[in-house]
Amino acid sequence: MGIEEKLPSGVLLTSVEKAAGWARARSVWPATFGLACCAIELFQTGGPKHDLARFGMERASNTPRQADLMIVAGRLSQKMAPVTRQIYDQMADPKWVISMGVCASSGGMFNNYAIVQGVDHIIPVDIYLPGCPPRPEMLLDAILKLHDKIMNMKLGKNRDREITELENARLGLRPLHLAEPAEADL
Amino acid sequence: MSGPDQPPKASPEETQGSEAPQGPEPPAGGASPAETDGNLPARLGEERLNAPVIRQGMFGVQGTPDTSGYGLLRVHKAPPLHSERPYGSYFDEIADALGGALEAAGLGFSDAIERVVVDRGEITFHVRRERLTEVATKLRDDPALRFELCSGVSGVHYPDEGGRELHAVYHMLSITHNRRVRLEVSVPDADPHVPSLVAVYPTCDWHERETWDFFGIIFDGHPALTRIEMPDDWKGHPQRKDYPLGGIPVEYRGAKIPAPDERRHYS
Amino acid sequence: MTAGQMPHAAAGASDAEAAEGRVYTVSGEDWDEIVAAANEARDFESGERIVINMGPQHPSTHGVLRLVLTLEGETVAEVRPAVGYLHTGIEKNMEYRTWTQGVTFCTRADYLMPIFNETAYCLAVERLLGIEDRIPERAQIIRVLMMELNRISSHLGGIAPMGLELGATTIYTQGARLRERALDLLELITGLRMNHAFIRPGGVAQDLPPGALEAIRVFLDETPELMHQLHTLIDANPIFIGRNKNIAYLDLEGCMALGVTGPMLRATGLPWDLRKSQPYCGYESYDFDVPIRDTCDAYGRYLIRMDEIDESLKIIRQCADRVAARGSVDSDPVMIRDAKIGWPAQLSLGPDGLGPSPQHIAHIMGQSMEALIHHFKLITEGFRVPAGQAYAAIESPRGELAAHVVSDGGTRPYRVHLRDPSFTHLQSVAAMCEGGFVADLIPAIASIDPVMGGVDR
């Protein structure tokens, strides 16, 4: 944009969406939702070596009402599932979910009666982070990817359109074991 | 040091698909092995051949037209473990002290204890369920026994042992004498009641709830026998052998692998 | 309670029976009398006694623990812990995997002390196999080394959140900083920071990598200074002392009745430590003390944990010295040399990643058919364990951790039960906290240091 060069210094031009995304991404408050082993790595990520405070995220919001990000860290048992949904519902929009670890993403190594096979059975997930448990650096990578996603999130009518497009794309996905060889291009 | 009566291990015990486990202490049908000549090889061999067959065939897949594998192996159920005196190490002292304490209370040793097994450096008293509370109280209070700490109860389910499917296993520790002992109570599926030891060892509270939750063993006298690990309205007792593992098939690109308990296995 | 009875009442103070109920006028230095009068008046009707649910999602319950509290004001009248929110079915899952694969499951039970879970399970399996005295000495030394490293990281993993829950975030960051160093060392040796699956039936998975001994020495040299910093930060802090001293009292009788072991039992003055009384893995040959206190309170337990970290450092030093004094791997295996049990492959890093070493492949493919068969059988179906049951107990950072393993003679466990100390200790919350304040619940639970993975398995 040539116009910015002609403005006096100290003035930036941007769009409302970008400004909102920038503000939202810079101070995401996670809800303390550490369940199992991944919670320990989450706890280490908050420590001085891998510092969550540099993203403004060390202030974990214990109350979901003020939280933006739910990092489901650990295996989600059947007994805990309604609680998870309730906490998610209590969070105010905009909210995002990182499912940290393989147990939260897909049930992990516990393919049995007691574990929900992927937290996306009950809440919508933005970033899936594999690992058993994922290292703090991996968690930081996931958080950075989430920041990118947040920064590029649209507002208003654009957002509605974005949601419709994403939904249509997802509805077109077939189960992996049924994908025809000719279409398997991913 | 361990009992002379080890179960005869049929060594290349390869079986096909079904999980037909050979419980370590299955009951002998009517009488326990005769006290006098129970250890003679010929008698043991006869007993073994008369016992039911629990595994047939070696490796190979069952339930398909696949005929590879070896089908002529027959593995019989081993007779129950039963150790004879002397048990070795400190086990004799425990058994004597327990016998003395029970007799002082007017109970015979074999009224309360069905069988004693000394195996791998550990002693197990198989207690009749009616006498469990008395035995536990004696173990806790008698100065020669003094098993102050109960590590808890856990259950084991042997669906093949008709009439004695559910076992509740208690481990006790004596800090005074630095000893360990195990109590095992067997109850049938049809009547899974065991007296609760919460009055004797309060620590058994949650352990008994867990055993009820997972196996369906009902502890009579427990103050609040409710589910502890599973959700309160769960149906079924998950760690029983007839309860499925409950997994879902795993999807890959181009294949769907069944859950772990439904896959075929070759051993 | 009239104005005349209040000793410090100012001239105009009075009380009156207003329409809503008794009215108390507070005039200074008479708080105790007011509270006593209120208690006497039995004003605790249904509106005054509240039932509050704390958890399962809560910052200070050490995981997904739910506490149902009945409160009278700030006093806890009843507390009932509800667990099971992390139940994973680990024990049932182990019945569908081989004996060696079972290690990867049981290691995730109590996830702050994975090495201890593995060791308890492997000791029980080895007892069933009858190979307890044939485990190579180097493997035993490495086991002790790993266990003590894990003890340090576990205690710090308990002390750091203890500070966080009390609102002292510096304790948390400093504890996390020190814990990071222990995790770095664990990662260097096992490849993972947690849930290592390193201790296997028959020995350990791999020998110490090159550079491990130097890293251990650096750790041993630098940690005492960092521990000293932690001590300076925490020990004499009046707020920490105020919140932990004489809180969560559980004496010896209570511990025995409730089956409590570990630092909670040693805080009552009883020096019971399974490493000393029923040693395993060669602990009888190491020189260390068992710290005890006799205050039976949360502060005593905290001090014991800090002292145990120092003792662990001592033991690690002895382990490192012993390993350094031994030879190379070929003559000094870390896995039992029994072809029917010991994991066959000596692993090495090749161009395509970690796998069996070229020497091992040459051996099984070129030199020994029998070795190839053993390798194949061990990896596909695993070894067979003779029928029987065993119970192996070890001294974990939280108390007596034991594995009760039942075998039916096959390649898979028939039943594995992990007797977890946190499960037993959580029963004592009611005994320790009823009658105290709500705020005392937090340090009480922190002093038990429960890990819900172990509680719920």
Side-chain angles (χ1 to χ4, degrees):
Chain A
M1 321 304 160
I3 205 173
E4 277 180 343
E5 285 144 22
K6 297 182 186 138
L7 289 173
S9 71
V11 179
L12 291 171
L13 298 182
T14 182
S15 69
V16 174
E17 278 174 352
K18 289 209 182 98
W22 178 85
R24 281 174 174 172
R26 288 294 172 263
S27 170
V28 178
W29 285 356
T32 52
F33 209 73
L35 298 169
C37 343
C38 288
I40 306 299
E41 289 294 43
L42 183 54
F43 148 71
Q44 288 297 130
T45 314
K49 185 171 178 185
H50 325 272
D51 187 16
L52 271 184
R54 52 187 153 152
F55 305 115
M57 289 176 69
E58 90 286 7
R59 191 269 187 205
S61 167
N62 302 315
T63 164
R65 306 269 179 207
Q66 296 172 3
D68 304 306
L69 170 65
M70 185 168 168
I71 305 182
V72 184
R75 46 204 192 233
L76 186 68
S77 74
Q78 300 280 353
K79 197 166 175 180
M80 189 66 186
V83 178
T84 310
R85 182 71 213 183
Q86 191 181 20
I87 303 283
Y88 180 76
D89 289 337
Q90 286 174 346
M91 285 165 72
D93 264 336
K95 54 190 173 185
W96 300 278
V97 175
I98 294 182
S99 83
M100 176 181 178
V102 288
C103 291
S105 308
S106 72
M109 66 192 306
F110 301 112
N111 189 1
N112 59 22
Y113 62 90
I115 295 291
V116 175
Q117 299 295 301
V119 83
D120 54 3
H121 279 257
I122 51 175
I123 55 180
V125 174
D126 291 288
I127 305 273
Y128 295 89
L129 173 57
C132 194
R135 292 185 59 104
E137 286 93 338
M138 291 165 68
L139 178 61
L140 290 174
D141 182 50
I143 288 175
L144 290 175
K145 288 195 161 58
L146 183 68
H147 284 179
D148 284 340
K149 195 171 176 179
I150 297 175
M151 288 218 282
N152 295 324
M153 213 166 86
K154 302 197 183 304
L155 294 179
K157 281 229 162 31
N158 294 347
R159 176 75 183 147
D160 293 338
R161 207 179 312 136
E162 191 182 39
I163 290 177
T164 322
E165 275 167 18
L166 281 173
E167 251 193 69
N168 289 337
R170 299 246 168 85
L171 285 172
L173 289 178
R174 293 144 146 273
L176 294 171
H177 70 286
L178 293 178
E180 268 128 44
E183 287 178 8
D185 55 348
L186 285 165
Chain B
M1 159 162 120
S2 50
D5 215 7
Q6 296 290 329
K9 307 187 222 335
S11 1
E13 279 159 13
E14 264 116 343
T15 70
Q16 30 194 3
S18 68
E19 292 274 355
Q22 178 184 338
E25 287 103 22
S32 51
E35 280 78 288
T36 47
D37 60 350
N39 298 342
L40 291 179
R43 203 199 142 81
L44 285 178
E46 235 178 66
E47 264 176 17
R48 186 168 11 128
L49 285 175
N50 292 337
V53 172
I54 54 170
R55 268 185 235 160
Q56 295 203 58
M58 249 172 120
F59 63 87
V61 190
Q62 218 182 16
T64 70
D66 187 343
T67 56
S68 61
Y70 176 65
L72 294 182
L73 178 75
R74 299 276 179 277
V75 177
H76 296 264
K77 203 195 283 200
L81 283 179
H82 173 85
S83 300
E84 303 289 344
R85 295 273 205 150
Y87 302 131
S89 170
Y90 56 79
F91 304 139
D92 291 297
E93 287 170 41
I94 298 181
D96 291 334
L98 185 58
L102 286 172
E103 252 135 59
L107 299 163
F109 186 78
S110 50
D111 283 341
I113 313 281
E114 291 174 326
R115 235 183 328 138
V116 177
V117 178
V118 176
D119 184 32
R120 294 176 166 96
E122 299 174 359
I123 184 166
T124 309
F125 290 100
H126 288 251
V127 184
R128 294 183 208 285
R129 59 173 157 177
E130 308 80 42
R131 301 277 166 248
L132 178 64
T133 333
E134 281 109 343
V135 171
T137 319
K138 295 287 170 277
L139 281 177
R140 186 191 63 176
D141 296 333
D142 189 275
L145 294 169
R146 270 273 173 257
F147 286 93
E148 308 98 340
L149 208 67
C150 177
S151 294
V153 196
S154 83
V156 197
H157 184 221
Y158 297 100
D160 289 333
E161 281 189 40
R164 297 167 61 92
E165 290 93 354
L166 291 165
H167 289 221
V169 185
Y170 301 78
H171 291 94
M172 316 285 193
L173 167 67
S174 169
I175 292 187
T176 323
H177 301 292
N178 199 5
R179 293 174 179 164
R180 289 193 186 268
V181 79
R182 180 187 297 129
L183 301 181
E184 196 162 335
V185 180
S186 313
V187 293
D189 259 343
D191 176 27
H193 290 259
V194 173
S196 166
L197 283 191
V198 172
V200 182
Y201 291 106
T203 179
C204 286
D205 185 357
W206 277 18
H207 292 271
E208 288 180 354
R209 279 176 68 187
E210 186 189 352
T211 313
W212 147 247
D213 194 356
F214 288 145
F215 290 91
I217 298 180
I218 301 175
F219 290 90
D220 302 320
H222 190 280
L225 196 66
T226 50
R227 290 203 179 262
I228 183 171
E229 304 279 9
M230 304 310 297
D232 296 326
D233 52 357
W234 197 266
K235 302 236 184 321
H237 300 280
Q239 278 181 6
R240 292 171 60 99
K241 293 289 180 186
D242 44 19
Y243 193 95
L245 182 61
I248 59 172
V250 184
E251 285 180 24
Y252 294 90
R253 290 188 187 281
K256 209 166 173 184
I257 310 291
D261 56 336
E262 284 154 21
R263 298 175 197 166
R264 59 186 187 190
H265 61 104
Y266 296 91
S267 63
Chain C
M1 261 319 281
T2 61
Q5 289 169 339
M6 287 196 253
H8 310 289
S14 64
D15 66 11
E17 287 281 358
E20 316 75 60
R22 271 186 97 85
V23 173
Y24 296 91
T25 309
V26 178
S27 52
E29 295 191 47
D30 52 2
W31 178 248
D32 291 333
E33 288 127 352
I34 304 261
V35 169
N39 275 333
E40 273 170 26
R42 308 302 296 168
D43 260 349
F44 292 117
E45 300 153 349
S46 56
E48 302 282 349
R49 213 176 219 234
I50 23 178
V51 176
I52 276 201
N53 181 52
M54 186 169 147
Q57 189 259 1
H58 187 94
S60 14
T61 51
H62 282 265
V64 286
L65 170 67
R66 177 174 170 215
L67 295 167
V68 183
L69 308 169
T70 307
L71 298 177
E72 292 172 352
E74 283 272 327
T75 319
V76 175
E78 277 178 29
V79 54
R80 283 188 309 136
V83 297
Y85 289 92
L86 199 54
H87 175 63
T88 320
I90 288 179
E91 299 176 346
K92 191 162 175 94
N93 250 120
M94 285 168 85
E95 297 171 15
Y96 294 89
R97 295 284 189 281
T98 67
W99 291 96
T100 315
Q101 288 171 330
V103 172
T104 56
F105 277 94
C106 73
T107 201
R108 287 163 169 84
D110 184 324
Y111 40 81
L112 267 183
M113 53 188 203
I115 302 275
F116 289 91
N117 300 332
E118 296 169 19
T119 310
Y121 170 71
C122 288
L123 286 177
V125 173
E126 287 160 10
R127 190 172 304 171
L128 281 177
L129 281 168
I131 56 172
E132 276 181 297
D133 42 1
R134 288 167 49 202
I135 305 296
E137 168 119 16
R138 193 182 180 100
Q140 300 284 43
I141 300 174
I142 297 179
R143 281 181 178 182
V144 171
L145 173 72
M146 300 307 295
M147 281 200 277
E148 295 306 318
L149 262 181
N150 206 182
R151 193 182 301 272
I152 294 179
S153 77
S154 168
H155 279 323
L156 288 169
I159 291 170
M162 184 193 283
L164 184 63
E165 288 157 15
L166 298 179
T169 40
T170 311
I171 300 180
Y172 167 72
T173 48
Q174 295 309 303
R177 176 174 158 230
L178 185 47
R179 188 163 185 266
E180 236 359 274
R181 300 166 133 263
L183 289 183
D184 280 343
L185 206 47
L186 283 167
E187 188 186 9
L188 177 64
I189 299 175
T190 67
L192 283 175
R193 291 154 58 100
M194 357 178 349
N195 301 338
H196 320 273
F198 186 67
I199 316 267
R200 311 259 170 105
V204 292
Q206 283 194 68
D207 195 11
L208 296 178
L213 284 175
E214 290 76 44
I216 293 175
R217 300 230 185 269
V218 168
F219 176 75
L220 289 171
D221 292 334
E222 295 181 353
T223 305
E225 171 60 34
L226 295 168
M227 285 298 294
H228 177 73
Q229 287 177 10
L230 264 185
H231 275 287
T232 325
L233 180 63
I234 308 175
D235 281 8
N237 185 318
I239 302 178
F240 189 84
I241 292 181
R243 288 211 64 185
N244 279 294
K245 229 180 166 89
N246 301 321
I247 301 296
Y249 185 82
L250 190 68
D251 61 358
L252 183 57
E253 266 184 66
C255 285
M256 285 293 108
L258 291 165
V260 168
T261 49
M264 291 178 73
L265 181 60
R266 291 194 279 281
T268 67
L270 181 70
W272 178 254
D273 186 326
L274 286 174
R275 295 176 291 170
K276 291 281 194 197
S277 22
Q278 297 177 358
Y280 47 93
C281 290
Y283 264 112
E284 60 272 9
S285 58
Y286 292 91
D287 173 36
F288 64 99
D289 301 312
V290 173
I292 56 171
R293 295 281 185 295
D294 57 359
T295 50
C296 309
D297 62 357
Y299 189 63
R301 293 171 198 145
Y302 154 76
L303 287 175
I304 290 180
R305 290 195 174 101
M306 295 293 268
D307 288 344
E308 283 188 0
I309 296 180
D310 294 327
E311 297 301 322
S312 293
L313 288 170
K314 262 198 237 170
I315 301 178
I316 294 176
R317 190 177 292 276
Q318 294 168 52
C319 290
D321 292 338
R322 286 184 201 199
V323 172
R326 298 176 77 91
S328 66
V329 168
D330 287 346
S331 59
D332 199 13
V334 294
M335 175 61 75
I336 187 174
R337 285 266 164 93
D338 182 330
K340 293 206 158 57
I341 299 170
W343 188 251
Q346 283 75 58
L347 299 172
S348 76
L349 203 56
D352 54 349
L354 193 66
S357 64
Q359 296 85 352
H360 180 78
I361 296 194
H363 178 63
I364 60 175
M365 297 303 283
Q367 294 163 9
S368 166
M369 184 63 184
E370 211 180 48
L372 176 63
I373 296 175
H374 283 136
H375 183 116
F376 175 73
K377 294 288 277 177
L378 275 174
I379 294 193
T380 54
E381 64 178 38
F383 50 83
R384 290 180 184 277
V385 173
Q389 52 180 340
Y391 180 85
I394 62 175
E395 184 71 28
S396 77
R398 281 166 191 83
E400 173 175 323
L401 171 67
H404 173 226
V405 175
V406 179
S407 165
D408 63 334
T411 55
R412 299 179 167 182
Y414 187 76
R415 164 91 172 115
V416 176
H417 175 69
L418 291 166
R419 187 271 182 196
D420 190 85
S422 307
F423 183 70
T424 315
H425 296 177
L426 272 183
Q427 295 179 85
S428 62
V429 168
M432 294 199 297
C433 299
E434 282 179 3
F437 290 132
V438 175
D440 292 337
L441 262 178
I442 313 297
I445 297 183
S447 75
I448 300 177
D449 197 10
V451 172
M452 299 315 289
V455 175
D456 297 335
R457 283 161 270 125

